[in-house]
Amino acid sequence: MKSFYAGLTILALALPASAHDLGFAGLLSSNNKEELDELTLSVGQPIADGPLMLKSGTAYEIEIVSDGTGELALEGAGFFRAIWINEIVINGLEIRPLGVDSVEFDDAGTMEIEFIAIKPGRYELRQPGSTGDGQRVEIVIQ
């Protein structure tokens, strides 16, 4: 009987890989994610060229790059609560958070955020304490 359960365990562990090999894909598979233009954090430079237009129910991946010219952050609690974050990757380390209010770079580096847009509306990410339009990016979820 133990070998029967051991066989079932091996089969259960093998199914996700087998299903993926057969072309079955979930919402977060690489085939279903849209890559957004990267956001750039640099002292005195705009974060983005224009607003980000997203669709509710769609998976996205975005890179946030800091050039290290200053200790820079992005805050946007409203936006982070309107999405479901699958993971944040920093230096190859994956973080799976329950929630985020802001992200901050002390040095140069890249952060990748993989998420699903959920709640339609207008949001923004901005550098804390800044007032210039270039230090914010508008995000619209349709």
Side-chain angles (χ1 to χ4, degrees):
M1 194 63 155
K2 285 184 180 181
S3 64
F4 172 75
Y5 287 113
L8 282 178
T9 301
I10 290 170
L11 178 62
L13 291 173
L15 279 177
S18 299
H20 183 71
D21 291 341
L22 293 173
F24 297 111
L27 185 58
L28 292 173
S29 76
S30 60
N31 296 333
N32 291 329
K33 278 186 288 203
E34 291 186 28
E35 289 198 29
L36 299 170
D37 292 338
E38 72 181 30
L39 302 179
T40 304
L41 296 179
S42 180
V43 172
Q45 299 299 314
I47 295 172
D49 291 332
L52 299 176
M53 305 299 287
L54 311 178
K55 290 183 183 178
S56 180
T58 301
Y60 294 95
E61 188 173 278
I62 190 165
E63 284 190 354
I64 304 171
V65 179
S66 175
D67 66 2
T69 55
E71 191 172 312
L72 298 169
L74 283 178
E75 64 183 8
F79 171 69
F80 286 121
R81 282 169 181 68
I83 64 174
W84 175 79
I85 299 175
N86 180 48
E87 68 181 7
I88 298 174
V89 180
I90 305 165
N91 293 331
L93 302 172
E94 297 176 2
I95 303 160
R96 302 193 188 276
L98 283 174
V100 173
D101 283 336
S102 64
V103 296
E104 183 174 332
F105 290 80
D106 292 338
D107 298 308
T110 300
M111 175 184 304
E112 184 178 282
I113 302 177
E114 183 179 285
F115 66 93
I116 297 173
I118 303 292
K119 185 178 175 186
R122 291 186 173 278
Y123 306 96
E124 70 176 15
L125 290 175
R126 76 166 38 252
Q127 291 180 3
S130 65
T131 57
D133 283 341
Q135 278 62 59
R136 64 180 283 284
V137 59
E138 182 182 11
I139 303 165
V140 178
I141 300 176
Q142 300 174 336

